[in-house]
């Protein structure tokens, strides 16, 4: 059994496939989605989106924020930033992590921004290794 999955950013449609399962990076942890799932609306965090295709293959994507909705066997993911694993350069992600780690926060906002940049870079590294 399969369902439709669409992943969209403000710039582009990243994915439009029929899949068997999705593991979505929700803001509070990973959530698995299968065919026939009851309606769901979830806030996304930063992390790895895994989609399992009907033939047994897996695809991985970097996702940073947004929302996911499962309704009537269609998973729609609207993200502020997303990219397939093949589009992520591990060296660039390592440089982003080093830059974020080197930043010295001066207030609460800059500390939060630093944490977010570090989480993005770590998630990109994880996806790049897939």
């Amino acid at each position: 059994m399969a369902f439709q999955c669409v992943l969209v950013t403000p710039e582009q449609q990243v994915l439009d496939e029929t899949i068997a399962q999705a593991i979505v990076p929700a803001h509070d942890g990973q959530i698995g989605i299968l065919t026939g799932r009851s309606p769901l609306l979830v806030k996304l965090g930063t992390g790895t989106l895994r989609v399992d295709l009907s033939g047994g293959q897996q695809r991985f994507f970097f996702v940073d924020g947004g929302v996911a909705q499962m309704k009537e066997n269609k998973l729609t993911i609207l993200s502020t930033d997303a990219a397939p694993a093949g589009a992520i350069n591990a060296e660039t992600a390592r440089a982003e992590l080093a830059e974020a780690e080197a930043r010295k926060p001066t207030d609460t906002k800059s500390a939060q921004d630093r944490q977010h940049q570090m989480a993005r870079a770590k998630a990109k590294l994880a996806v790049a290794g897939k």
Side-chain angles (χ1 to χ4, degrees), residues 7 14-15 25 47-51 59-63 82-85 88 127:
L7 172 58
V14 180
L15 174 72
T48 302
L49 166 67
R50 184 183 101 195
V51 295
R59 287 198 188 157
F60 297 90
F61 299 84
F62 163 75
V63 175
I88 296 174
V127 171

Side-chain angles (χ1 to χ4, degrees), residues 7-90:
L7 172 58
V8 180
T9 69
E11 291 82 30
Q12 65 180 337
Q13 180 172 308
V14 180
L15 174 72
D16 186 357
E17 290 268 351
T18 301
I19 66 171
Q21 173 179 262
I23 308 296
V24 178
H27 74 284
D28 57 353
Q30 299 284 326
I31 185 167
I33 299 176
L34 297 169
T35 303
R37 172 83 166 80
S38 45
L40 169 77
L41 182 63
V42 65
K43 178 180 172 184
L44 297 176
T46 301
T48 302
L49 166 67
R50 184 183 101 195
V51 295
D52 297 345
L53 304 177
S54 298
Q57 309 94 329
Q58 294 180 335
R59 287 198 188 157
F60 297 90
F61 299 84
F62 163 75
V63 175
D64 185 21
V67 295
Q69 177 190 42
M70 179 65 168
K71 184 177 177 186
E72 298 173 0
N73 276 331
K74 182 173 183 180
L75 176 62
T76 304
I77 302 170
L78 306 174
S79 181
T80 53
D81 190 13
I88 296 174
N89 182 308

